[in-house]
Amino acid sequence: MPTSFFTGTDYALSLPMILLSLFGLGVLIIDLMLPAEWKRWNAITALIGLGFSTAAVMRIQLGHFADGRPLVGSFAYLSNVGGQVVGSVLMDGFSIYFFYLFLLGAAIAILMSAHYLEIEHEHHGEFYALILFSVVGMMCMASGYDLVLLFIGLELMAISTYVLVGFLRRDKRSNEAALKYLLLGAFSSGIFAYGLSLLYGLSGSTNLQVIAQALQRHYSANPKDPIAIVAMITTATGLLFKVAAVPFHQWAPDAYEGAPTSVTGYMSVAVKSAAWAMLLRIFLWGLYPLRPVYLPLLVFVSVATMTVGNFAALSQNNLKRLLAYSSISHVGYMLLGLIASDNITNKTGIQGILVYLLVYTFMNLGAFAVVTSLRRRDIIGDEIDDIAGLYSKAPTEAVLMLLFLLSLAGIPPLAGFYGKYFIFLSLIQTQHYVLASLAVLYAVLGLYYYMRIGSAMFMRPATDPEPVAISPGMQVALAVTAIGTVGIGILPEFFIRAAGWSLGIQQAGTSLLGFLR
Amino acid sequence: MLHLALFSFFGAICVAGAINLLAQRHPINSALSLIVVMGSLAVEFMLLGAEFVAVIQVIIYAGAIMVLFVFTIMLLNAGEEERSAGSRIAVLLGVPALLILMGLVAWVLIRQNPASGTVAAGALPGTPPEIGRLLFRDFLLPFEITSVLILIAIMGAVVLARKEH
């Protein structure tokens, strides 16, 4: 244990978060000096901040990871081999993979937001500062190896998101969504904290590794230890609430519908990825000894999530609500990966979840970018009727939207297919044939509601004459998401390897997907 | 024995204060009952041998935060709250569910092997130097992130309450 309180390693490993906080503060100060028509510079400052933070993550990845030697600081640890970790931060491949994911989601969300906020007359610098600070919270959630840091990161992200959801002050729906999200979010955080306090009581430590060892002892002494089960259930409830799994999903459609559209996109990818990072970290690292106990629970939740998500999406007429239910159903598929894989004997499912989250970032943000651009003067633009006839107004955008929808449905040449492919593969490998066939059936059901949007865009006439204009920022966002969606579909190798690397999978030259290409 | 009696006594006061907090109609009365809750919690911490936490509890919760609460209530000149007719189902389902949950947790805690769950008072580290060392070394990052958390909470309040232009 080093005697100094803040070492060079600590500095290097927390640099991405430090930079983001500094740029967040910078945006807040610069905003005061900018005249109203220059507010776009806030977005540019925030993007520069994300760029610097990305560089800091790359420095960790390239500078320290290659030699495989663990680095030990006072509170931050870098390791790609595992071993005893006693600090609050664990920087491993898993953390770094998620860091890139958050930075990517935040950058695309900022590109989508600038023009949208101008139309809403709510273009304030605080918006971008809140996005940057929420990324800091997400980074704590992905790299936290200690319940205290995980919880504080979760709250930092959640409170930023509550404010972002209510950012459109003049819009009653936005206010209502923010209030609902705040109340239910605070309630779930309370349950989660209760679970964490029981875990601390069981182990006498807030460190995930010590907790896992203590749970192992409890489990081998008494597999039905009631306190361990209560701790697991309350912790799991909090986590499943944050990823919006059924039966803890009711907040999602309301919050998604009322939030500013670009924030909805951001919530559905980056915020959700962060919740997934924490869920995987706790389930696979901290609660691993209780795996036989939590598996039946997860099976129930994932089947319920797929069922409710898919069936509720069928009857939605609001685009944001429809995508909210579709995002709930995607959580159901991802949970299947966690059921199949335990990250020790079988890693395919976890790798599938990581690939899925990456792919989902591109395709879902792309779909939300198109919905965001439907917001025009005097038109709210989030009903299916508003997207009708998009092909005659903006053919490129309509074709891109179709690409995103097909990818969300999991049609083979596109990225979405690989997310589902790995999940289903892991289910087959671990002989969960019933779950696998159920998931395939639900995936077919998904095609119906995605194609409802598609048919409205191409087959129906426009309901209003107002043209759809695409701002430069939105063009970049659409280009990036489209390239991601198609690119991962055509060249999946690199991204699958990245996900495998982050889990420390030894990868030979031969590819898992060799037979597909 | 005296220790146990004191502990149960202040525990009962704490619970009574919490129930009174909910039952009172005037916000000031609720705030004052919250002070009772905080104060008796501080005594409980003291009895458990966590002097530092007890002092912090008095200074921060019973002191600083309650002053803010009372100030806000007085500034807003909040009157008596209006009761809406509570939902029948909530009472019929909620109260038994709460009782079942509490009974379940109590049963679980009592059934635990008591030997594994007892610690002598004062055996756990809790002195200011130890807390300081933990706070500024092992938990330095959460500590610093908390300041960001407070910042965005203030900023969020300002954003949501700003004036229309």
Side-chain angles (χ1 to χ4, degrees):
Chain A
M1 176 71 62
T3 46
S4 63
F5 284 43
F6 189 68
T7 66
T9 308
D10 292 327
Y11 173 71
L13 297 187
S14 50
L15 193 58
M17 301 179 207
I18 296 174
L19 283 171
L20 280 180
S21 309
L22 287 179
F23 270 88
L25 295 174
V27 169
L28 283 179
I29 293 169
I30 292 171
D31 180 51
L32 294 175
M33 298 184 263
L34 284 178
E37 61 271 23
W38 283 35
K39 294 288 185 193
R40 282 175 180 225
W41 284 94
N42 286 326
I44 293 170
T45 316
L47 284 175
I48 294 172
L50 291 173
F52 270 97
S53 184
T54 313
V57 182
M58 281 174 111
R59 185 163 160 258
I60 299 172
Q61 186 198 342
L62 302 174
H64 301 299
F65 229 95
D67 56 0
R69 189 167 45 88
L71 276 178
V72 180
S74 293
F75 62 79
Y77 291 72
L78 177 133
S79 130
N80 53 359
V81 283
Q84 190 79 19
V85 180
V86 275
S88 48
V89 175
L90 172 64
M91 196 66 73
D92 53 1
F94 182 84
S95 313
I96 290 174
Y97 183 86
F98 272 102
F99 277 25
Y100 284 130
L101 207 57
F102 303 149
L103 292 165
L104 177 77
I108 299 176
I110 287 176
L111 286 172
M112 281 160 55
S113 298
H115 186 62
Y116 178 77
L117 291 174
E118 273 169 16
I119 295 178
E120 296 280 2
H121 300 293
E122 296 281 4
H123 206 190
H124 306 286
E126 287 90 351
F127 184 90
Y128 303 107
L130 281 169
I131 290 207
L132 292 189
F133 286 132
S134 70
V135 176
V136 176
M138 294 174 193
M139 288 181 164
C140 295
M141 290 163 75
S143 64
Y145 206 59
D146 188 282
L147 299 182
V148 177
L149 185 60
L150 285 172
F151 190 74
I152 289 177
L154 169 70
E155 286 307 292
L156 176 55
M157 179 198 78
I159 293 178
S160 313
T161 321
Y162 303 148
V163 181
L164 286 173
V165 169
F167 208 78
L168 305 180
R169 276 232 308 141
R170 272 162 285 202
D171 186 349
K172 284 223 168 62
R173 289 194 307 172
S174 175
N175 296 344
E176 184 196 338
L179 190 64
K180 272 187 188 165
Y181 190 27
L182 167 72
L183 290 176
L184 287 172
F187 180 65
S188 72
S189 291
I191 296 178
F192 184 55
Y194 183 64
L196 297 188
S197 73
L198 284 177
L199 287 179
Y200 175 70
L202 281 171
S203 59
S205 168
T206 52
N207 186 283
L208 283 184
Q209 198 158 330
V210 182
I211 289 174
Q213 287 156 1
L215 285 179
Q216 184 66 56
R217 281 195 303 276
H218 273 265
Y219 187 73
S220 48
N222 176 12
K224 286 188 179 147
D225 185 6
I227 291 199
I229 291 175
V230 172
M232 186 276 292
I233 288 178
T234 42
T235 312
T237 306
L239 290 170
L240 291 172
F241 189 97
K242 296 294 176 195
V243 296
V246 176
F248 314 109
H249 68 289
Q250 287 95 340
W251 60 273
D254 289 335
Y256 279 30
E257 188 188 354
T261 314
S262 53
V263 172
T264 311
Y266 182 62
M267 279 167 73
S268 71
V269 297
V271 173
K272 183 159 284 186
S273 309
W276 263 104
M278 192 168 79
L279 187 145
L280 291 177
R281 193 66 106 178
I282 290 186
F283 270 119
L284 294 176
W285 274 265
L287 291 179
Y288 183 77
L290 296 179
R291 195 171 162 79
V293 187
Y294 70 62
L295 265 188
L297 194 89
L298 284 184
V299 171
F300 166 76
V301 170
S302 103
V303 172
T305 307
M306 286 189 295
T307 312
V308 173
N310 279 309
F311 279 103
L314 291 178
S315 58
Q316 299 301 322
N317 283 321
N318 181 296
L319 286 172
K320 281 153 90 177
R321 278 190 95 83
L322 195 156
L323 287 172
Y325 279 111
S326 112
S327 124
I328 291 173
S329 69
H330 284 287
V331 167
Y333 298 128
M334 285 185 241
L335 279 172
L336 290 176
L338 182 58
I339 292 168
S341 300
D342 59 1
N343 204 25
I344 289 178
T345 53
N346 180 324
K347 292 195 176 206
T348 319
I350 308 301
Q351 191 182 8
I353 295 176
L354 297 191
V355 172
Y356 208 125
L357 285 169
L358 173 73
V359 162
Y360 193 66
T361 302
F362 284 115
M363 60 193 186
N364 214 41
L365 265 181
F368 272 109
V370 174
V371 178
T372 307
S373 68
L374 293 176
R375 173 76 171 101
R376 286 150 290 165
R377 209 175 299 119
D378 306 327
I379 297 172
I380 296 175
D382 58 4
E383 299 291 326
I384 285 197
D385 288 344
D386 293 319
I387 207 170
L390 187 67
Y391 182 65
S392 58
K393 283 186 201 166
T396 325
E397 219 183 9
V399 171
L400 287 181
M401 182 70 174
L402 187 68
L403 269 180
F404 298 135
L405 292 172
L406 287 173
S407 178
L408 280 167
I411 302 296
L414 296 165
F417 168 71
Y418 288 99
K420 288 203 173 70
Y421 169 78
F422 270 95
I423 304 275
F424 296 163
L425 178 70
S426 69
L427 285 171
I428 302 289
Q429 280 175 354
T430 49
Q431 282 134 24
H432 291 87
Y433 299 118
V434 179
L435 282 177
S437 24
L438 201 62
V440 171
L441 285 179
Y442 278 128
V444 176
L445 196 62
L447 196 57
Y448 170 75
Y449 53 81
Y450 291 127
M451 282 310 106
R452 263 185 76 207
I453 305 180
S455 82
M457 283 193 304
F458 286 88
M459 317 295 251
R460 279 169 52 189
T463 50
D464 58 73
E466 189 78 27
V468 174
I470 305 170
S471 66
M474 184 65 82
Q475 282 174 1
V476 178
L478 280 172
V480 172
T481 49
I483 290 171
T485 309
V486 179
I488 299 179
I490 295 172
L491 300 165
E493 195 68 34
F494 173 76
F495 299 93
I496 291 162
R497 276 176 171 276
W501 168 83
S502 73
L503 292 170
I505 295 175
Q506 299 296 325
Q507 304 181 68
T510 57
S511 98
L512 263 172
L513 289 175
F515 69 95
L516 273 177
R517 306 173 78 215
Chain B
M1 201 57 221
L2 177 70
H3 192 270
L4 185 67
L6 279 176
F7 191 86
S8 334
F9 177 69
F10 282 103
I13 290 188
C14 187
V15 173
I19 293 172
N20 189 41
L21 187 160
L22 292 174
Q24 286 294 332
R25 275 167 173 241
H26 205 285
I28 280 287
N29 293 350
S30 293
L32 293 178
S33 340
L34 191 54
I35 296 183
V36 175
V37 175
M38 299 297 182
S40 40
L41 265 183
V43 178
E44 299 277 69
F45 283 133
M46 187 76 89
L47 287 170
L48 289 173
E51 297 90 358
F52 183 75
V53 184
V55 172
I56 290 293
Q57 175 85 14
V58 171
I59 295 176
I60 295 183
Y61 283 92
I65 290 182
M66 287 317 302
V67 169
L68 269 182
F69 267 167
V70 174
F71 264 3
T72 316
I73 293 170
M74 293 201 163
L75 276 178
L76 294 177
N77 204 8
E80 271 197 14
E81 66 178 286
E82 286 171 28
R83 293 272 158 100
S84 55
S87 144
R88 258 270 191 74
I89 304 172
V91 176
L92 283 178
L93 286 178
V95 174
L98 183 73
L99 289 179
I100 291 173
L101 199 69
M102 280 170 62
L104 212 64
V105 171
W107 177 75
V108 161
L109 289 174
I110 290 167
R111 249 183 57 106
Q112 277 291 301
N113 178 14
S116 70
T118 39
V119 166
L124 291 173
T127 58
E130 284 164 336
I131 289 178
R133 215 167 289 130
L134 275 179
L135 205 54
F136 291 102
R137 194 179 58 207
D138 300 4
F139 294 100
L140 180 62
L141 191 65
F143 179 74
E144 294 295 339
I145 297 286
T146 312
S147 56
V148 180
L149 182 69
I150 294 169
L151 174 74
I152 61 147
I154 299 170
M155 196 173 83
V158 171
V159 166
L160 293 180
R162 68 175 170 254
K163 284 219 171 67
E164 300 280 340
H165 295 298

